[in-house]
Short mmCIF file of all heavy atoms in Angstrom, two decimals:
data_model
loop_
_atom_site.label_atom_id
_atom_site.label_comp_id
_atom_site.label_asym_id
_atom_site.label_seq_id
_atom_site.Cartn_x
_atom_site.Cartn_y
_atom_site.Cartn_z
N GLY A 35 126.93 83.70 110.73
CA GLY A 35 126.78 82.30 110.52
C GLY A 35 126.33 81.88 109.08
O GLY A 35 125.84 82.87 108.32
N PRO A 36 126.38 80.64 108.67
CA PRO A 36 125.98 80.29 107.38
C PRO A 36 124.57 80.58 106.91
O PRO A 36 124.35 80.96 105.78
CB PRO A 36 126.24 78.79 107.32
CG PRO A 36 127.25 78.47 108.39
CD PRO A 36 126.92 79.54 109.48
N LEU A 37 123.76 80.52 107.89
CA LEU A 37 122.29 80.84 107.60
C LEU A 37 121.80 82.14 108.22
O LEU A 37 120.60 82.40 108.29
CB LEU A 37 121.44 79.66 108.14
CG LEU A 37 121.68 78.29 107.49
CD1 LEU A 37 120.81 77.25 108.03
CD2 LEU A 37 121.64 78.34 105.95
N GLU A 38 122.69 82.98 108.56
CA GLU A 38 122.31 84.37 109.08
C GLU A 38 122.54 85.40 108.00
O GLU A 38 123.38 85.28 107.14
CB GLU A 38 123.21 84.68 110.30
CG GLU A 38 122.98 83.86 111.51
CD GLU A 38 123.86 84.20 112.71
OE1 GLU A 38 125.12 84.29 112.47
OE2 GLU A 38 123.31 84.59 113.77
N MET A 39 121.67 86.42 108.09
CA MET A 39 121.88 87.60 107.25
C MET A 39 122.82 88.61 107.78
O MET A 39 123.58 89.22 106.96
CB MET A 39 120.58 88.24 106.95
CG MET A 39 119.59 87.50 106.05
SD MET A 39 120.29 87.38 104.37
CE MET A 39 120.34 89.11 103.86
N SER A 40 122.98 88.69 109.11
CA SER A 40 123.87 89.74 109.71
C SER A 40 124.09 89.43 111.08
O SER A 40 123.34 88.74 111.81
CB SER A 40 123.26 91.07 109.56
OG SER A 40 122.06 91.19 110.29
N THR A 41 125.19 90.04 111.65
CA THR A 41 125.48 90.08 113.06
C THR A 41 126.01 91.42 113.42
O THR A 41 126.56 92.15 112.56
CB THR A 41 126.58 88.96 113.44
OG1 THR A 41 127.84 89.25 112.70
CG2 THR A 41 126.12 87.61 113.21
N ARG A 42 125.76 91.78 114.74
CA ARG A 42 126.30 93.02 115.29
C ARG A 42 127.01 92.68 116.59
O ARG A 42 126.67 91.76 117.31
CB ARG A 42 125.12 93.95 115.55
CG ARG A 42 124.31 94.25 114.39
CD ARG A 42 124.95 95.31 113.39
NE ARG A 42 124.08 95.66 112.35
CZ ARG A 42 124.01 95.00 111.20
NH1 ARG A 42 124.74 93.88 111.00
NH2 ARG A 42 123.20 95.38 110.24
N GLY A 43 128.01 93.53 116.88
CA GLY A 43 128.75 93.37 118.11
C GLY A 43 129.83 94.42 118.16
O GLY A 43 130.05 95.17 117.21
N PHE A 44 130.65 94.34 119.18
CA PHE A 44 131.71 95.32 119.41
C PHE A 44 133.09 94.81 118.98
O PHE A 44 133.39 93.59 119.18
CB PHE A 44 131.75 95.75 120.86
CG PHE A 44 130.50 96.59 121.23
CD1 PHE A 44 129.43 95.92 121.74
CD2 PHE A 44 130.53 97.95 121.03
CE1 PHE A 44 128.24 96.69 122.02
CE2 PHE A 44 129.41 98.67 121.34
CZ PHE A 44 128.29 98.07 121.89
N VAL A 45 133.92 95.64 118.51
CA VAL A 45 135.26 95.28 118.09
C VAL A 45 136.19 96.26 118.72
O VAL A 45 135.80 97.35 119.16
CB VAL A 45 135.46 95.29 116.52
CG1 VAL A 45 134.56 94.28 115.86
CG2 VAL A 45 135.20 96.67 115.90
N SER A 46 137.49 95.92 118.73
CA SER A 46 138.49 96.81 119.32
C SER A 46 138.64 98.16 118.50
O SER A 46 138.88 98.06 117.30
CB SER A 46 139.79 96.17 119.51
OG SER A 46 140.69 97.12 119.96
N PRO A 47 138.52 99.32 119.13
CA PRO A 47 138.80 100.55 118.41
C PRO A 47 140.33 100.67 118.08
O PRO A 47 140.65 101.56 117.24
CB PRO A 47 138.37 101.62 119.37
CG PRO A 47 138.45 101.03 120.70
CD PRO A 47 138.16 99.64 120.52
N LEU A 48 141.15 99.85 118.62
CA LEU A 48 142.58 99.92 118.36
C LEU A 48 142.92 99.19 117.06
O LEU A 48 144.15 99.28 116.71
CB LEU A 48 143.35 99.33 119.54
CG LEU A 48 143.14 100.06 120.89
CD1 LEU A 48 143.97 99.34 121.98
CD2 LEU A 48 143.57 101.58 120.80
N GLY A 49 142.00 98.49 116.45
CA GLY A 49 142.32 97.73 115.23
C GLY A 49 142.28 96.22 115.40
O GLY A 49 141.99 95.72 116.44
N ARG A 50 142.54 95.58 114.27
CA ARG A 50 142.53 94.04 114.26
C ARG A 50 143.54 93.51 115.30
O ARG A 50 144.57 94.06 115.56
CB ARG A 50 142.84 93.54 112.88
CG ARG A 50 141.79 93.96 111.87
CD ARG A 50 142.07 93.36 110.48
NE ARG A 50 141.11 93.79 109.48
CZ ARG A 50 140.03 93.15 109.21
NH1 ARG A 50 139.67 92.06 109.99
NH2 ARG A 50 139.12 93.58 108.29
N ASN A 51 143.21 92.33 115.74
CA ASN A 51 144.08 91.58 116.63
C ASN A 51 144.33 92.19 118.01
O ASN A 51 145.17 91.85 118.74
CB ASN A 51 145.53 91.30 116.06
CG ASN A 51 145.36 90.58 114.73
OD1 ASN A 51 144.56 89.70 114.58
ND2 ASN A 51 146.13 91.09 113.74
N GLU A 52 143.48 93.33 118.35
CA GLU A 52 143.58 93.93 119.71
C GLU A 52 142.38 93.41 120.45
O GLU A 52 141.29 93.17 119.89
CB GLU A 52 143.55 95.38 119.51
CG GLU A 52 144.70 96.03 118.83
CD GLU A 52 146.06 95.88 119.57
OE1 GLU A 52 145.94 95.77 120.83
OE2 GLU A 52 147.11 95.89 118.99
N GLU A 53 142.58 93.28 121.68
CA GLU A 53 141.51 92.70 122.67
C GLU A 53 140.63 93.73 123.26
O GLU A 53 139.43 93.58 123.40
CB GLU A 53 142.23 91.84 123.71
CG GLU A 53 142.81 90.53 123.20
CD GLU A 53 141.74 89.64 122.69
OE1 GLU A 53 140.60 89.51 123.37
OE2 GLU A 53 141.89 89.04 121.64
N ALA A 54 141.12 94.92 123.60
CA ALA A 54 140.44 95.90 124.37
C ALA A 54 139.24 96.38 123.51
O ALA A 54 139.41 96.79 122.33
CB ALA A 54 141.36 97.12 124.73
N LEU A 55 138.12 96.49 124.08
CA LEU A 55 136.91 96.94 123.38
C LEU A 55 136.48 98.36 123.67
O LEU A 55 135.64 98.93 123.13
CB LEU A 55 135.71 96.02 123.82
CG LEU A 55 135.82 94.58 123.27
CD1 LEU A 55 134.62 93.70 123.75
CD2 LEU A 55 135.90 94.49 121.75
N THR A 56 137.28 99.02 124.58
CA THR A 56 137.10 100.37 124.81
C THR A 56 138.48 101.09 124.90
O THR A 56 139.49 100.44 125.09
CB THR A 56 136.33 100.75 126.22
OG1 THR A 56 137.19 100.23 127.22
CG2 THR A 56 135.05 100.04 126.12
N HIS A 57 138.48 102.35 124.65
CA HIS A 57 139.70 103.15 124.84
C HIS A 57 139.31 104.45 125.45
O HIS A 57 138.52 105.19 124.93
CB HIS A 57 140.40 103.39 123.50
CG HIS A 57 141.73 104.01 123.71
ND1 HIS A 57 142.82 103.29 123.93
CD2 HIS A 57 142.08 105.34 123.60
CE1 HIS A 57 143.95 104.10 124.08
NE2 HIS A 57 143.55 105.31 123.87
N THR A 58 139.94 104.75 126.65
CA THR A 58 139.41 105.90 127.40
C THR A 58 140.61 106.87 127.59
O THR A 58 141.76 106.53 127.89
CB THR A 58 138.98 105.47 128.83
OG1 THR A 58 137.83 104.56 128.66
CG2 THR A 58 138.61 106.57 129.70
N VAL A 59 140.26 108.14 127.40
CA VAL A 59 141.21 109.31 127.65
C VAL A 59 140.38 110.24 128.49
O VAL A 59 139.34 110.76 128.14
CB VAL A 59 141.67 109.94 126.39
CG1 VAL A 59 142.45 111.20 126.71
CG2 VAL A 59 142.52 108.99 125.57
N LYS A 60 140.83 110.49 129.74
CA LYS A 60 140.16 111.32 130.68
C LYS A 60 138.71 110.83 130.86
O LYS A 60 138.51 109.64 131.27
CB LYS A 60 140.32 112.78 130.31
CG LYS A 60 141.64 113.31 130.34
CD LYS A 60 141.77 114.72 129.99
CE LYS A 60 143.21 115.30 130.04
NZ LYS A 60 143.27 116.75 129.75
N ALA A 61 137.75 111.61 130.55
CA ALA A 61 136.31 111.26 130.82
C ALA A 61 135.63 110.82 129.54
O ALA A 61 134.44 110.55 129.56
CB ALA A 61 135.59 112.45 131.33
N SER A 62 136.39 110.52 128.51
CA SER A 62 135.85 110.15 127.25
C SER A 62 136.23 108.68 126.91
O SER A 62 137.40 108.31 126.98
CB SER A 62 136.23 111.01 126.09
OG SER A 62 135.59 112.30 126.32
N THR A 63 135.18 107.84 126.49
CA THR A 63 135.45 106.44 126.23
C THR A 63 134.98 106.10 124.79
O THR A 63 133.86 106.40 124.42
CB THR A 63 134.76 105.56 127.21
OG1 THR A 63 135.23 105.78 128.57
CG2 THR A 63 134.96 104.05 126.89
N LEU A 64 135.93 105.63 124.02
CA LEU A 64 135.68 105.24 122.59
C LEU A 64 135.30 103.78 122.49
O LEU A 64 135.91 102.94 123.12
CB LEU A 64 136.90 105.58 121.77
CG LEU A 64 136.89 105.24 120.27
CD1 LEU A 64 136.03 106.12 119.56
CD2 LEU A 64 138.33 105.31 119.73
N VAL A 65 134.24 103.55 121.71
CA VAL A 65 133.88 102.12 121.33
C VAL A 65 133.68 102.09 119.88
O VAL A 65 133.58 103.15 119.15
CB VAL A 65 132.54 101.77 122.03
CG1 VAL A 65 132.78 101.80 123.62
CG2 VAL A 65 131.34 102.63 121.61
N MET A 66 133.65 100.86 119.35
CA MET A 66 133.47 100.62 117.94
C MET A 66 132.47 99.44 117.72
O MET A 66 132.71 98.30 118.27
CB MET A 66 134.80 100.22 117.35
CG MET A 66 134.80 100.18 115.77
SD MET A 66 134.99 101.82 115.02
CE MET A 66 136.63 102.21 115.45
N VAL A 67 131.40 99.76 117.12
CA VAL A 67 130.43 98.75 116.78
C VAL A 67 130.70 98.18 115.44
O VAL A 67 130.89 98.89 114.47
CB VAL A 67 128.93 99.35 116.73
CG1 VAL A 67 127.87 98.29 116.42
CG2 VAL A 67 128.60 100.00 118.12
N GLY A 68 130.85 96.79 115.37
CA GLY A 68 131.05 96.15 114.09
C GLY A 68 129.86 95.46 113.55
O GLY A 68 129.00 95.02 114.39
N SER A 69 129.81 95.32 112.25
CA SER A 69 128.74 94.64 111.63
C SER A 69 129.25 93.76 110.48
O SER A 69 130.18 94.11 109.84
CB SER A 69 127.71 95.59 110.97
OG SER A 69 127.25 96.61 111.95
N GLU A 70 128.62 92.60 110.31
CA GLU A 70 128.83 91.79 109.17
C GLU A 70 127.43 91.46 108.54
O GLU A 70 126.52 91.00 109.19
CB GLU A 70 129.49 90.51 109.61
CG GLU A 70 130.96 90.68 110.03
CD GLU A 70 131.66 89.32 110.04
OE1 GLU A 70 131.16 88.29 109.67
OE2 GLU A 70 132.96 89.44 110.21
N ASP A 71 127.34 91.82 107.22
CA ASP A 71 126.08 91.69 106.53
C ASP A 71 126.25 90.87 105.23
O ASP A 71 127.23 91.10 104.45
CB ASP A 71 125.57 93.00 106.10
CG ASP A 71 125.19 93.90 107.38
OD1 ASP A 71 124.11 93.67 107.91
OD2 ASP A 71 125.99 94.74 107.73
N LYS A 72 125.43 89.89 105.04
CA LYS A 72 125.47 89.04 103.81
C LYS A 72 124.85 89.90 102.71
O LYS A 72 123.87 90.57 102.77
CB LYS A 72 124.55 87.80 104.04
CG LYS A 72 125.17 86.80 105.00
CD LYS A 72 126.27 85.96 104.28
CE LYS A 72 126.78 84.86 105.21
NZ LYS A 72 125.81 83.78 105.48
N LEU A 73 125.60 89.83 101.58
CA LEU A 73 125.11 90.49 100.32
C LEU A 73 124.36 89.53 99.49
O LEU A 73 124.94 88.82 98.73
CB LEU A 73 126.29 91.18 99.58
CG LEU A 73 127.10 92.17 100.34
CD1 LEU A 73 128.25 92.66 99.56
CD2 LEU A 73 126.28 93.29 100.84
N LEU A 74 123.09 89.55 99.58
CA LEU A 74 122.19 88.64 98.84
C LEU A 74 121.01 89.47 98.34
O LEU A 74 119.96 89.56 98.98
CB LEU A 74 121.69 87.51 99.77
CG LEU A 74 120.96 86.34 99.10
CD1 LEU A 74 121.78 85.75 97.84
CD2 LEU A 74 120.48 85.32 100.00
N PRO A 75 121.25 90.03 97.06
CA PRO A 75 120.11 90.88 96.59
C PRO A 75 118.84 90.17 96.43
O PRO A 75 118.76 88.98 96.06
CB PRO A 75 120.66 91.34 95.24
CG PRO A 75 122.19 91.06 95.37
CD PRO A 75 122.42 90.00 96.23
N SER A 76 117.73 90.87 96.74
CA SER A 76 116.44 90.21 96.69
C SER A 76 116.11 89.82 95.17
O SER A 76 115.42 88.85 94.94
CB SER A 76 115.34 91.24 97.13
OG SER A 76 115.39 92.41 96.37
N SER A 77 116.70 90.52 94.23
CA SER A 77 116.49 90.10 92.79
C SER A 77 117.03 88.77 92.48
O SER A 77 116.45 88.01 91.69
CB SER A 77 117.14 91.16 91.85
OG SER A 77 118.45 91.25 92.06
N VAL A 78 118.17 88.43 93.17
CA VAL A 78 118.78 87.13 92.95
C VAL A 78 117.85 85.96 93.57
O VAL A 78 117.53 84.97 92.88
CB VAL A 78 120.21 87.01 93.59
CG1 VAL A 78 120.69 85.62 93.54
CG2 VAL A 78 121.11 87.94 92.90
N VAL A 79 117.32 86.24 94.69
CA VAL A 79 116.41 85.23 95.44
C VAL A 79 115.13 85.18 94.63
O VAL A 79 114.67 84.04 94.36
CB VAL A 79 116.08 85.76 96.79
CG1 VAL A 79 115.04 84.84 97.45
CG2 VAL A 79 117.32 85.78 97.69
N ASN A 80 114.60 86.26 94.09
CA ASN A 80 113.33 86.21 93.42
C ASN A 80 113.52 85.52 92.05
O ASN A 80 112.53 84.82 91.58
CB ASN A 80 112.81 87.65 93.26
CG ASN A 80 112.30 88.35 94.48
OD1 ASN A 80 111.97 87.51 95.43
ND2 ASN A 80 112.31 89.60 94.58
N ASP A 81 114.69 85.71 91.42
CA ASP A 81 114.84 85.07 90.09
C ASP A 81 114.89 83.55 90.26
O ASP A 81 114.33 82.86 89.46
CB ASP A 81 116.21 85.53 89.46
CG ASP A 81 116.01 86.89 88.84
OD1 ASP A 81 114.89 87.38 88.70
OD2 ASP A 81 117.07 87.57 88.49
N GLU A 82 115.62 83.10 91.28
CA GLU A 82 115.72 81.70 91.56
C GLU A 82 114.36 81.09 91.95
O GLU A 82 113.97 79.98 91.60
CB GLU A 82 116.74 81.48 92.65
CG GLU A 82 116.99 79.93 92.91
CD GLU A 82 117.47 79.12 91.73
OE1 GLU A 82 118.08 79.70 90.84
OE2 GLU A 82 117.29 77.91 91.84
N LEU A 83 113.62 81.85 92.82
CA LEU A 83 112.30 81.46 93.15
C LEU A 83 111.38 81.30 92.01
O LEU A 83 110.66 80.31 91.79
CB LEU A 83 111.70 82.43 94.14
CG LEU A 83 110.24 82.26 94.58
CD1 LEU A 83 110.08 80.84 95.25
CD2 LEU A 83 109.78 83.44 95.54
#
Side-chain angles (χ1 to χ4, degrees):
L37 299 181
E38 292 180 306
M39 283 297 297
S40 64
T41 58
R42 301 286 183 272
F44 292 90
V45 299
S46 176
L48 300 177
R50 295 181 182 275
N51 303 319
E52 297 290 336
E53 288 295 318
L55 293 177
T56 63
H57 188 82
T58 299
V59 173
K60 294 185 178 179
S62 295
T63 299
L64 177 69
V65 299
M66 190 82 68
V67 179
S69 304
E70 290 197 357
D71 297 279
K72 290 282 184 68
L73 299 180
L74 186 56
S76 58
S77 59
V78 174
V79 175
N80 291 334
D81 285 347
E82 182 61 23
L83 174 62

